[in-house]
Structures are given as structure tokens and as C-alpha cells.
Amino acid sequence: MTPKPKFLVICGDLLEAFPETEPKLREKQEKDFKNVFSALDIPLLCVCGNHDIGNTPTEDTIATYRSSFGDDYFSFWCGGVYFIVINSQFYENDSKVKQLSAEHETWLEQQLEYVKREQPKHSIVLQHIPWFQNNPDEPKNPWNFEKDIRTVMLKKYYDAGIRHIYCGHYHRNGGGFYKDMELVVTAAVEVNVQNDGTTPSNDHGYRVVKVLDNKLEHSYYELGTAPSSISWN
Ligand SMILES: [Zn+2]
């Protein structure tokens, strides 16, 4: 692709095998993953998903993730844009990692304060599980968050100045708005499903995001269909 993207991000579930129940298979998948992506000539950003540390993460699964893929949450500047990468599993189930979850929350509060103070031209959060799929008022389902935590977090993000959230987990495309803050859900490059949630779908692909001064533009491309040259007009 010309110009080359600044980076590639996988919005969680880097591997499919769960660490606690399928550690051997996960080891093999990790080798494959690193083998495939070692050929990449742009940075690869890894977001931590439920398959990566388990639906009920433990100190062990998080430590293993960190030694294999680096930090499970972090932030950085790129081209005048500020990115915050959270570990959304702490909001799903932190029953066995209360201390780590509290550290994450303190860090996130500091990050949001920083965004409020610095007012970057864009502030973008990357996370695995989306707060919602299509509508901030939708009912709870297996793919989003409980309404109480969802509402608290969306307001927190919004008040800090976040206007863009990119997520995965849903195995199909989705997205919607909380006020003028856009949440985008991107389908998987691997297994996808139709809207009924059970029928397989073959639209494996990825999303190309163009960051312009005053807005972000994004399009989903099925594998093999993305343009090889990106124009800025
Ligand atoms: Zn997931």
C-alpha cells in the first residue's frame, strides 16, 4: 500500500486458543503468529483480547501475555494523534485480578486527564470489546458491556475529549455514535458471522483508516480488495 500505513493494529484476540485451557495449542499459534508478522515492515500494535488472557483473566495469564506480546495497555503519539490502548477485559471480569484492574483504572484516569490537558487534534482509543455494537442504548448481549459500566465509560471518554474508539471482538462490522464520538467495530480477518450471530460469513478483511486534520475516514475491505494506493483527496 502506498503510502505505507503508519502501523497495523489487531484489535484483540491475537490468537484463538485460550491460555488456561489450551496452553499447548496457544504456544503453536503464537509461533505461527510471530512467524507471519515478522515479515511486516511497519509496526504491529497488539491489543489484548479475551482469548489472549482468558474470559476470567488471572495474574498468570496476564503475565504470560506481557512476556509474549508486551504491555496489555499503553499509549503513544503518532503524527500529532494520541492513542490510548486499553485492556477491556478488566471491565468484563476482573474478579481474579483486582489489583491489576485497579492499576489499569488509575492509569486510564491519568491518560484521560492528559488528553483533557493536551487537547490533541484527535484522541483515539483502541480496545477489544466494544462498549456497544450499534447503539449506546442497546440491551446487553454477549458482545457488548453491561449498560451501567458502558454509560460511565462513554461519558468519561467523551468528557476527556475522546471522539474515536476502534474495537474488535464482534466478528462482524458494527459501530455507532455516543453524541459525536464514533465507535467503530471491525470484523475479523479470520472467522466472521452474519448478523444472526451463528451463520458463517466470508467477508474476512480489515479496515483502512485515513487520519485527516479535521476527521477520520475509514472503510472496510474484504481480503484482496483494498486499494494499493491511498489518496488524500
Ligand atoms: Zn474477543
Side-chain angles (χ1 to χ4, degrees), residues 13 49-51 128-129 169 171:
D13 291 353
N50 56 308
H51 279 260
H128 181 56
I129 304 180
H169 188 59
H171 294 265

Side-chain angles (χ1 to χ4, degrees), residues 44-97:
L44 171 68
L45 296 187
C46 296
V47 178
C48 183
N50 56 308
H51 279 260
D52 298 314
I53 51 172
N55 286 322
T56 307
T58 65
E59 294 202 356
D60 272 358
T61 62
I62 292 176
T64 304
Y65 178 88
R66 288 175 179 173
S67 73
S68 295
F69 298 105
D71 292 335
D72 54 321
Y73 55 92
F74 51 96
S75 59
F76 61 98
W77 283 95
C78 180
V81 176
Y82 196 62
F83 290 87
I84 300 175
V85 180
I86 72 158
N87 182 346
S88 58
Q89 205 57 28
F90 288 129
Y91 301 96
E92 184 69 9
N93 188 337
D94 68 354
S95 56
K96 291 186 175 170
V97 285

Side-chain angles (χ1 to χ4, degrees), residues 105-121:
E105 197 56 33
T106 304
W107 167 85
L108 180 58
E109 296 283 350
Q110 288 163 352
Q111 292 298 311
L112 295 175
E113 279 303 315
Y114 181 74
V115 166
K116 235 185 235 176
R117 212 167 50 236
E118 296 294 322
Q119 301 186 359
K121 69 178 168 192

Side-chain angles (χ1 to χ4, degrees), residues 8 12 25 39 60 78 87 99 129 147 156 182 186 196 228:
L8 171 67
L25 179 56
D60 272 358
C78 180
N87 182 346
Q99 177 62 31
I129 304 180
K147 251 182 165 176
K156 241 187 226 192
E182 186 178 26
T186 299
D196 66 7
S228 56

Side-chain angles (χ1 to χ4, degrees), residues 9-193:
V9 55
I10 303 177
C11 272
D13 291 353
L14 311 173
L15 312 179
E16 196 271 337
F18 281 105
E20 285 208 293
T21 50
E22 307 159 291
K24 287 283 164 226
L25 179 56
R26 192 168 168 87
E27 253 173 52
K28 286 185 185 170
Q29 292 182 351
E30 184 177 326
K31 273 195 192 128
D32 285 346
F33 179 96
K34 289 183 174 173
N35 194 24
V36 167
F37 285 107
S38 63
L40 195 68
D41 57 359
I42 56 171
L44 171 68
L45 296 187
C46 296
V47 178
C48 183
N50 56 308
H51 279 260
D52 298 314
I53 51 172
N55 286 322
T56 307
T58 65
E59 294 202 356
D60 272 358
T61 62
I62 292 176
T64 304
Y65 178 88
R66 288 175 179 173
S67 73
S68 295
F69 298 105
D71 292 335
D72 54 321
Y73 55 92
F74 51 96
S75 59
F76 61 98
W77 283 95
C78 180
V81 176
Y82 196 62
F83 290 87
I84 300 175
V85 180
I86 72 158
N87 182 346
S88 58
Q89 205 57 28
F90 288 129
Y91 301 96
E92 184 69 9
N93 188 337
D94 68 354
S95 56
K96 291 186 175 170
V97 285
K98 290 284 181 198
Q99 177 62 31
L100 293 175
S101 177
E103 287 168 16
H104 177 270
E105 197 56 33
T106 304
W107 167 85
L108 180 58
E109 296 283 350
Q110 288 163 352
Q111 292 298 311
L112 295 175
E113 279 303 315
Y114 181 74
V115 166
K116 235 185 235 176
R117 212 167 50 236
E118 296 294 322
Q119 301 186 359
K121 69 178 168 192
H122 301 297
S123 305
I124 303 175
V125 175
L126 307 172
Q127 61 185 74
H128 181 56
I129 304 180
W131 301 116
F132 60 88
Q133 277 91 47
N134 299 110
N135 184 324
D137 298 319
E138 72 199 13
K140 165 74 181 139
N141 64 47
W143 309 93
N144 62 14
F145 280 100
E146 293 288 352
K147 251 182 165 176
D148 49 355
I149 183 72
R150 188 195 310 168
T151 310
V152 168
M153 295 308 292
L154 288 169
K155 185 174 184 323
K156 241 187 226 192
Y157 279 18
Y158 191 87
D159 290 348
I162 306 290
R163 291 296 179 269
H164 309 276
I165 310 169
Y166 286 83
C167 317
H169 188 59
Y170 192 37
H171 294 265
R172 68 207 102 151
N173 288 305
F177 283 86
Y178 170 88
K179 300 180 184 174
D180 60 338
M181 175 168 70
E182 186 178 26
L183 180 147
V184 180
V185 183
T186 299
V189 79
E190 169 233 38
V191 178
N192 279 326
V193 290

